[in-house]
Amino acid sequence: MPLIDGLTALWDKLLSVQPAPPPLLVLITAAAALAVVVTRVPWRIARNAVTIAHEGGHALTALLTGRKLRGIRLHSDTSGLTLSAGRPTGPGMILTLLAGYVAPSLIGLAGGWLLAGNRITLLLWVAVALLLAMLLLIRNVFGVLSLLVTGGVVLAVSWYASPQVQAAFAWTSVWFLLFGGVRPVVELQRLRGRGRAPESDADQLARLTPFPALFWVSVFMLVNLVTLALGTVLLAGPILRDAGLAL
């Protein structure tokens, strides 16, 4: 049947394995992603993607811990807000607060795992699916526009771009999430040091647990640095293989 044949072809495309990228592409995409993270204007624009991942982490964890999700807001200053209902204390609330700052790095690590298996198409389509699911939870106009633009770019690349462009886009995006997960933690502590973030995730965690806010900032940073190291090993696979150093 044509419908079944079409679905089978779509499934085969989704699970297909693409050729491994040349080591030079891995290095160039890593350098490009790092440059975006450490430079002011590009970071100011691209940080919206980190905010999407951050708020998505809050939202997913809230659902997984049995909390009722009220909605997500994304703002033009790259801040965001995820509202959920449930017990104001306890493990569910703690895990929900904890998830935000580590979500971009963990998503990047998951993406690195897919790219290590050369599943570029699967990575891009999973990203589109997650963005569409998150779109249903957005409660402000800027948030809707952010999700539509981001999802539209990913969809266009996955559908129309050449395999080489898809590979460059996928590797750059994953590198960006891995590097980009670290900088917001540094920014958070700077704001806290100036007394400008009294309701940060770390400060809310400090009120819910016996540990001070600085402890939770350190947890965010440790998780993200370890994730960056693991992601680097995964993404650097082509280079290691080329050098005969792959495990």
Side-chain angles (χ1 to χ4, degrees):
M1 296 177 63
L3 178 59
I4 296 177
D5 291 341
L7 291 175
T8 301
L10 186 63
W11 184 253
D12 289 341
K13 180 179 180 180
L14 183 64
L15 297 181
S16 63
V17 176
Q18 286 74 44
L24 182 60
L25 181 142
V26 178
L27 289 174
I28 290 175
T29 55
L34 182 59
V36 170
V37 171
V38 300
T39 51
R40 183 175 180 180
V41 175
W43 170 248
R44 177 65 178 77
I45 298 171
R47 197 186 193 283
N48 284 292
V50 175
T51 302
I52 290 171
H54 179 115
E55 299 304 330
H58 282 316
L60 179 60
T61 307
L63 291 173
L64 292 177
T65 56
R67 299 181 62 80
K68 187 174 181 180
L69 198 59
R70 297 295 191 188
I72 302 170
R73 290 179 176 271
L74 303 173
H75 303 132
S76 58
D77 63 355
T78 71
S79 66
L81 179 65
T82 298
L83 297 175
S84 62
R87 288 185 58 192
T89 60
M93 189 64 199
I94 292 172
L95 290 172
T96 298
L97 288 169
L98 180 61
Y101 276 98
V102 300
S105 294
L106 293 177
I107 294 171
L109 182 62
W113 177 73
L114 287 175
L115 291 182
N118 297 318
R119 307 274 184 179
I120 299 173
T121 301
L122 180 60
L123 170 66
L124 296 176
W125 285 27
V126 167
V128 171
L130 291 175
L131 290 168
L132 287 175
M134 190 173 175
L135 181 62
L136 300 176
L137 302 170
I138 296 296
R139 297 294 182 264
N140 67 324
V141 174
F142 182 82
V144 171
L145 292 175
S146 295
L147 266 295
L148 288 176
V149 170
T150 305
V153 169
V154 179
L155 180 62
V157 170
S158 68
W159 198 261
Y160 297 109
S162 67
Q164 293 81 6
V165 172
Q166 290 184 12
F169 179 84
W171 255 265
T172 303
S173 299
V174 172
W175 278 121
F176 174 74
L177 287 174
L178 290 169
F179 289 129
V182 176
R183 179 165 175 173
V185 182
V186 176
E187 295 174 341
L188 168 64
Q189 186 53 30
R190 286 177 180 170
L191 290 173
R192 291 192 64 260
R194 300 169 187 165
R196 294 172 57 188
E199 295 301 319
S200 72
D201 294 349
D203 288 277
Q204 292 184 65
L205 283 165
R207 291 194 287 269
L208 293 173
T209 67
F211 306 106
L214 185 59
F215 168 84
W216 291 108
V217 174
S218 300
V219 170
F220 298 155
M221 182 61 74
L222 178 61
V223 171
N224 291 354
L225 288 176
V226 170
T227 303
L228 173 59
L230 294 174
T232 298
V233 172
L234 289 171
L235 292 175
I239 297 175
L240 297 176
R241 285 191 295 270
D242 191 62
L245 299 175
L247 297 178

